[in-house]
Amino acid sequence: MSEHTHPARPAPDPGHSADHVVPLGTYLAVFAALMVLTVLTVAASRVDLGMLNTPVALGIAIVKAGLVILFFMHVKYGSRLIALFLAAAFGWLALMLVGTGADYISRGPVDPRPDRPVVPGSPTP
Amino acid sequence: MSEATHAADHHPALAHHFRSLPEQKEAASLGMWAFLAQEVMFFGGLFLAYAIYRALYPRAFAEAAHHLDWKLGAFNTAVLIGSSLTMALAVHAAALGHRKKIVTNLLLTIVLGAVFLGVKVVEYRDKFAHHLVPGPGFQFDGSDPRAAQVFYSLYFAMTGLHALHMIIGIPILATLAWLARKGRYSPAYHTPVEMTGLYWHFVDIVWIFLFPLLYLIHG
């Protein structure tokens, strides 16, 4: 990276912080990483990983989203309050997904169509 | 107050209820992040519905997903990531005060966004031609057409709302390009460019999840 790179994260100082100018090289490196990860997503989908297919695809997507959030959206350089807002968003999302998911898993066979009993996870008849 | 803010005290963009431009920018950022948190919940509900129905009908979802062209999806992913780069470069140029580069990068972002939407039109047209649009005309040659219809309902809801976000974003980008050309933004004040950047990157992130979940289902 260039000499503009800050050696350490400066202390967040919401009221007074001057604009942190992220070096151009960082943006280009993040872009390259995102493209490589996109190729990796497609490549992974060509291989049968069994149960791991979806977790691998989601894992790569989470890494990509993390890169966009930290560097393109400047969360790495922003105040802690913004990081807290971000954490709150994903915290509530996790509550919704886990809470509803737990409900569906613990109910046993569920199908909105009464004439077609289907067990979750089994192939559709 | 630091000396950096002295020059900003009388900046025309500084609203009277803020002491300094950095303080104003911090307030704008928090407001934008609160909006994006709400957007996470908005799309989150759709992702939740997707997860539940895919767990219920894994085979029908895999069959239905095979009618989507993963090559077009991958191409659009690359286009959208490219538009995120040009958006980030527009913010970068604004922070350095390079007026011409702001305009160029904003226009590139608009072009890439339009390419994405153009590919989406081609894809949607193909779904209409093949009777894969949910409704009375839906036809699916698979094991469970009704479950496949659920997949396509989610496909159109999720990609449609995602595309709507881009359709809203493009005129905002055009307005920014116009104002940047007139010299409205400087290293001291370019908050609208930054906030629109946050919005555009968020839209990119939604697609980063939609692409593997809709186009790359194994089965």
Side-chain angles (χ1 to χ4, degrees):
Chain A
M1 292 298 152
S2 71
E3 67 278 12
H4 299 297
T5 315
H6 281 249
R9 178 184 175 148
D13 186 6
H16 307 266
S17 61
D19 252 351
H20 180 107
V21 178
V22 182
L24 200 63
T26 303
Y27 288 129
L28 296 176
V30 168
F31 171 73
L34 290 172
M35 293 306 246
V36 169
L37 288 167
T38 301
V39 172
L40 196 63
T41 307
V42 174
S45 79
R46 308 275 101 191
V47 186
D48 191 0
L49 303 167
M51 291 275 287
L52 288 176
N53 281 322
T54 306
V56 165
L58 280 179
I60 296 172
I62 288 168
V63 172
K64 287 168 77 179
L67 287 172
V68 173
I69 288 169
L70 284 177
F71 296 99
F72 282 179
M73 297 173 92
H74 293 178
V75 168
K76 189 179 190 308
Y77 315 102
S79 74
R80 294 216 179 127
L81 196 53
I82 284 170
L84 183 67
F85 271 49
L86 176 71
F90 286 108
W92 286 109
L93 179 67
L95 270 182
M96 180 169 72
L97 295 176
V98 172
T100 315
D103 187 35
Y104 267 87
I105 288 167
S106 59
R107 269 172 201 270
V110 177
D111 192 306
R113 294 171 286 173
D115 56 316
R116 292 183 68 128
V118 170
V119 179
S122 74
T124 37
Chain B
M1 212 172 273
S2 72
E3 67 265 32
T5 55
H6 278 305
D9 276 342
H10 301 292
H11 195 284
L14 179 62
H16 67 87
H17 50 286
F18 291 109
R19 276 172 300 178
S20 66
L21 280 175
E23 185 185 86
Q24 177 172 302
K25 191 191 131 185
E26 183 72 8
S29 297
L30 277 182
M32 196 65 203
W33 277 101
F35 168 70
L36 293 181
Q38 173 277 136
E39 289 274 81
V40 168
M41 301 310 292
F42 174 74
F43 278 101
L46 287 164
F47 279 103
L48 174 62
Y50 170 91
I52 288 167
Y53 281 108
R54 181 164 162 195
L56 274 172
Y57 313 117
R59 197 170 127 201
F61 265 49
E63 286 173 4
H66 276 289
H67 287 261
L68 296 176
D69 189 343
W70 69 267
K71 286 174 192 152
L72 288 180
F75 174 77
N76 256 355
T77 306
V79 167
L80 207 52
I81 289 172
S83 82
S84 250
L85 175 68
T86 54
M87 185 71 236
L89 294 182
V91 174
H92 182 75
L96 295 177
H98 299 155
R99 188 194 296 190
K100 228 181 138 187
K101 276 190 189 161
I102 309 176
V103 177
T104 310
N105 279 301
L106 287 174
L107 292 179
L108 278 172
T109 309
I110 292 171
V111 168
L112 290 168
V115 169
F116 180 97
L117 290 172
V119 171
K120 216 73 219 131
V121 168
V122 171
E123 289 186 275
Y124 276 13
R125 191 188 287 160
D126 175 78
K127 299 298 159 285
F128 274 94
H130 290 90
H131 307 286
L132 290 171
V133 180
F138 187 83
Q139 284 172 28
F140 186 77
D141 188 23
S143 61
D144 190 348
R146 287 193 64 187
Q149 191 166 206
V150 172
F151 174 85
Y152 275 101
S153 298
L154 287 165
Y155 168 78
F156 279 104
M158 295 171 103
T159 60
L161 284 168
H162 176 265
L164 179 65
H165 276 74
M166 296 185 64
I167 291 166
I168 291 168
I170 286 173
I172 298 173
L173 291 172
T175 309
L176 288 179
W178 171 250
L179 292 175
R181 205 178 74 93
K182 291 207 300 182
R184 177 75 66 90
Y185 305 119
S186 63
Y189 174 75
H190 53 279
T191 307
V193 185
E194 283 194 271
M195 298 305 113
T196 307
L198 291 178
Y199 175 80
W200 196 260
H201 296 313
F202 170 82
V203 172
D204 185 24
I205 289 172
V206 172
W207 184 260
I208 282 173
F209 284 95
L210 286 180
F211 170 55
L213 289 178
L214 293 174
Y215 290 78
L216 301 176
I217 304 181
H218 219 284

